[in-house]
Amino acid sequence: MTTPDGATRSPKAAGPARERVYEWLRDEIIRGTLEGGQFLDEQWVSRTVGVSRTPVREAFHRLAAEHFIQLMPRKGAQVRSVTARELEEVYQARRLIEGQAARSLCEARHGAPEGMTALLEPMERAGAAGDWFEVAGLNRRFHQIMVSTAGNSVITDLYDGLHSRQQRVGLRAMKARPERVDIVDAEHRALVAALDACDAERALAVLAEHLRPVPEVVSVLPRDGQG
């Protein structure tokens, strides 16, 4: 299947139609294959994925609720751009949730969850290869393990609600400043070390730096609007 800009990733062939449409559109938006400002026509999507228009409409409504697209009356949908404000707000939410999780793990003297340590090298390999989609997915999993291990199911549910937006914002940031990959890798290792040492203040300091909107990234994003 071919997207409007020439990409050739095919949708999944198995699973409920609405999930196949949703996952394909979500991943292509996260990758940037479907860019901010691009219009999505129901007929084109249904033909590309090989489904009727009903699951396409269902996927559109779900993606709109997750702030990936804006529904346009009689025009289908338009992909939303990642804005500077969205990046700043996602990072702010993450600092609050992840900071609480890190503090809880240190107070319980839990140490860094094994899953976090196991993801360090795969993230670094993906970054060295410039596979930003893989990096963003692994990065999200790395931080999600910390939050879920802290054991507050309500906070975990709130954090999981950021899943796709977190991955898209993270990928956009890495594409904007790929030279920061070594800094990000070092911060991940510093966070694991702080958790292993049960040093809450150090862990919070690492997170504050790690989840700080970088001016050079913010400056290349639109401030408002859907772009």
Side-chain angles (χ1 to χ4, degrees):
M1 303 296 179
T2 303
T3 66
D5 68 351
T8 56
R9 276 177 288 270
S10 296
K12 293 180 181 178
R18 64 179 179 274
E19 287 297 320
R20 284 188 284 131
V21 177
Y22 165 77
E23 290 178 5
W24 181 70
L25 286 171
R26 178 201 64 195
D27 288 354
E28 295 307 304
I29 292 171
I30 289 172
R31 284 188 173 97
T33 305
L34 299 176
E35 298 179 337
Q38 183 171 329
F39 283 95
L40 302 175
D41 176 72
E42 283 185 9
Q43 185 175 354
W44 172 77
V45 175
S46 66
R47 185 174 64 250
T48 300
V49 185
V51 300
S52 70
R53 294 176 71 167
T54 298
V56 174
R57 294 190 191 103
E58 292 173 344
F60 276 8
H61 283 285
R62 183 173 173 185
L63 289 164
E66 294 179 358
H67 302 276
F68 279 98
I69 64 175
Q70 180 180 15
L71 298 178
M72 310 290 288
R74 297 180 296 280
K75 293 183 179 180
Q78 185 179 29
V79 179
R80 289 176 177 265
S81 297
V82 174
T83 66
R85 180 175 179 178
E86 180 180 21
L87 182 144
E88 291 163 352
E89 290 179 348
V90 168
Y91 278 12
Q92 182 180 43
R94 289 184 60 192
R95 286 196 300 273
L96 291 172
I97 296 173
E98 294 184 35
Q100 176 60 37
R103 187 179 294 279
S104 295
L105 290 176
C106 290
E107 289 175 352
R109 306 199 68 77
H110 188 288
E114 291 183 7
M116 293 179 72
T117 304
L119 286 174
L120 290 171
E121 290 188 4
M123 281 192 293
E124 291 166 1
R125 286 196 297 270
D131 188 345
W132 307 127
F133 184 79
E134 180 72 4
V135 170
L138 292 173
N139 178 74
R140 188 206 66 81
R141 179 59 183 153
F142 175 85
H143 289 273
Q144 194 276 337
I145 289 171
M146 179 177 68
V147 173
S148 62
T149 303
N152 186 314
S153 61
V154 174
I155 289 178
T156 299
D157 286 345
L158 289 171
Y159 192 76
D160 287 345
L162 292 172
H163 174 172
S164 296
R165 294 177 79 184
Q166 174 184 344
Q167 192 168 343
R168 188 184 185 203
V169 165
L171 189 147
R172 185 68 180 85
M174 292 304 299
K175 278 187 173 181
R177 290 292 305 276
E179 67 274 14
R180 293 195 73 252
V181 66
D182 290 341
I183 296 173
V184 172
D185 289 341
E187 289 170 348
H188 284 151
R189 289 190 175 273
L191 177 58
V192 167
L195 293 175
D196 274 337
C198 301
D199 186 340
E201 295 310 311
R202 176 58 183 157
L204 292 174
V206 172
L207 283 172
E209 182 63 23
H210 187 60
L211 299 176
R212 175 182 61 85
V214 178
E216 293 87 348
V217 174
V218 173
S219 66
V220 301
L221 300 176
R223 288 301 310 179
D224 296 296
Q226 312 313 320

